[in-house]
Amino acid sequence: MNINRLPRGCTNVGGPLAASMDKCRTNFMELFSSFGYRPFWPSALQLLESAWPHLPEGYRQRLIALTTPYGEPSCLRADITLAAVAFLASHYAPEQQPLRLCYADRIFKRAEKHENRIENFQIGAELLGWEGEGADIEILWLLLRWLDEIGLDKSILVIGDVTFLNYALAHVGTAIAERLSRSLLEGNLSEYRNVLSTSDIPEYSRNILEHLPDLKGTKNVLEQASALLGSSQYLMPLRNIVKALSDLGYEKRIFVDLSLARELSYYSGPVFRIYASGTSGQEIGGGGRYDGLLNSYGLDGQAIGFAIDLEEAATLALPPSGSHRVMMWCSTLPPEQALRRAGTILSLGLNGEMSWNKNRNQSYESASSRNCEWWIDLGRETVTQIECGKVMPLSQWMREEYTC
C-alpha cells in the first residue's frame, strides 16, 4: 500500500510553490486589510438546503455532496461568496453595512472536461451591501495593485457588463436566449452565430447580437455599443469604472469585452476576468457584481467580489525574495543566547533558519545545498559568503550589507 497516495484530484503543495503562495496570500491579506477588509474563514461544509437555491446550475452539477456525522445532507464548500453573503445576512444589521471581507482558502468541486482537480486554492475579496460605483472601482483597483505587488504587472483586466447582454436578449425567446448566452459562456462563437442565423429574432435585438462578439477592445467600444442601443444609459456604470481605473494609471491594463458572459442568473452588472499576461494569457480568476444573490438573502444593496486561483497566481508571480538566504550555526551557544542573536539578525528583514547540527562542516554543507547566500557562525560571530568563501566579522557584515 502506498501511504503517500492522495485521493484522486487532491494535492499537497510544498517547496518553493508553497512559499510563493504564502507570500502572495500574506501580501493580499495585508493590502486588503489595510482598506478595511476583514479576514473571513468559512466552514468547509455547507448545508445542501442552504447552498442549492443560491448557486447557478453549473455550480450545482459540480457540488461534492456528503452527509455529516449528524446526518445532515451537505456539500464541500464550492463557493466562498455564498458563505460570505450568508455571514452578512446572519451577523450584521442593515445599518452595519457595508461589510468588506477577504479570504484565502480551499474550494472543492467535481472536475470538469480536461481537469482532474477537485480542490483548488482560492483567494478573494467581497464588498457587500454598498451602493455606488465607488465600491466597484475600489475593489478592482485593489486587485490590480495586488497583482502589481506580486509581480504580475502585465496582467489584464477584461471587463464587460451582463446588463448589456441581458438587454440585448430581453426581446428574444427564452430558449434562444439561453442557447446564445450558453454559447458565449463556453466561448463557442460558431454555435452562437448558428443560433442567430436560424432563429426568429426581432430586428433591433438581432442587430445588437450580431455585433456583440466584435464589441471588444479599448474604451471606444462603449461608444459603438451605445450607438447600437440608442442610449448610453445601460453602459454608464461600466464607462465610469473604465474611466476611473484609467485615471488611476491602469488604462493599458483594461480590455473591454461586451460579449464577456458569466452566469447571467448570478451576476447582475459589471463582470470581469483576470489574465496573467494579455488577453491570450492564462486566466487566473474573475468576478463581478451579484446584487441578485444579495437580494435572495433578503438584503438590499450592491455586492461585488472576485476570486483568484492562488496556486496559478503564485506560480506566475515572482519567486519569494530572500527565502532561506541565511543559515545561522548555533550549536556552540546555549539556545536562549543563540535565539536572541538570530532574532537580531533576522530583524534586519532577512529570511533564514537555525542550524543546531553539532558538526560545523555538515552545517556549512547544508547551507550550500539549501541555496543560502550566507552562513553565519553565531558563536564566533563571523559570516561566510557561500559563493566565494569570503569570511568577515558579523558586525562588519551587518554594517556593510544591511545599513543604509
Side-chain angles (χ1 to χ4, degrees), residues 73-331:
S74 303
C75 60
L76 290 174
R77 177 185 58 228
D79 176 88
I80 296 180
T81 300
L82 200 60
V85 176
F87 182 71
L88 171 68
S90 58
H91 289 77
Y92 289 84
E95 59 271 20
Q96 293 178 293
Q97 296 180 21
L99 178 63
R100 292 172 168 85
L101 297 175
C102 55
Y103 56 80
D105 215 326
R106 281 179 164 93
I107 60 167
F108 305 88
K109 290 186 285 189
R110 293 183 184 278
E112 65 175 0
K113 296 181 180 177
H114 304 299
E115 298 176 342
N116 61 9
R117 294 279 293 271
I118 63 172
E119 66 172 347
N120 288 282
F121 301 90
Q122 197 172 83
I123 195 166
E126 316 288 339
L127 204 170
L128 308 169
W130 187 252
E131 301 286 354
E133 293 154 2
D136 300 337
I137 296 162
E138 170 191 313
I139 203 167
L140 288 170
W141 176 67
L142 286 171
L143 170 59
L144 288 165
R145 276 193 57 180
W146 172 68
L147 291 167
D148 289 346
E149 292 183 8
I150 64 170
L152 298 183
D153 55 358
K154 305 297 182 188
S155 54
I156 295 292
L157 173 70
V158 177
I159 188 166
D161 194 325
V162 298
T163 306
F164 179 80
L165 180 56
N166 279 329
Y167 181 82
L169 295 173
H171 302 291
V172 177
T174 302
I176 297 171
E178 288 178 353
R179 289 178 63 190
L180 288 169
S181 59
R182 187 170 59 251
S183 59
L184 286 175
L185 189 62
E186 295 172 351
N188 190 345
L189 284 183
S190 61
E191 171 64 12
Y192 178 85
R193 296 197 184 282
N194 178 55
V195 175
L196 267 185
S197 64
T198 58
S199 302
D200 182 18
I201 297 174
E203 191 58 33
Y204 174 74
S205 299
R206 177 180 294 280
N207 185 43
I208 299 173
L209 291 168
E210 285 181 343
H211 286 86
L212 185 64
D214 301 319
L215 293 174
K216 55 181 68 174
T218 66
K219 58 186 178 183
N220 295 332
V221 165
L222 297 174
E223 305 299 331
Q224 300 172 34
S226 294
L228 285 170
L229 293 175
S231 168
S232 61
Q233 171 189 352
Y234 293 97
L235 292 169
M236 190 57 70
L238 182 57
R239 187 192 308 275
N240 292 338
I241 291 172
V242 171
K243 180 181 184 306
L245 292 177
S246 298
D247 291 345
L248 288 165
Y250 288 104
E251 182 172 5
K252 293 182 179 178
R253 303 265 297 281
I254 298 171
F255 186 89
V256 177
D257 183 356
L258 293 179
S259 66
L260 177 62
R262 297 183 75 91
E263 294 81 0
L264 298 185
S265 61
Y266 190 88
Y267 289 100
S268 50
V271 293
F272 53 90
R273 293 176 180 165
I274 294 290
Y275 292 84
S277 178
T279 54
S280 59
Q282 185 173 349
E283 182 181 346
I284 57 174
R289 282 271 295 276
Y290 53 88
D291 306 353
L293 179 61
L294 212 63
N295 296 337
S296 72
Y297 278 86
L299 302 170
D300 294 327
Q302 166 185 314
I304 185 170
F306 67 85
I308 301 291
D309 188 314
L310 177 59
E311 187 174 350
E312 296 285 357
T315 300
L316 297 165
L318 291 174
S321 61
S323 179
H324 289 163
R325 290 183 62 209
V326 175
M327 180 172 284
M328 296 164 286
W329 186 58
C330 48
S331 69

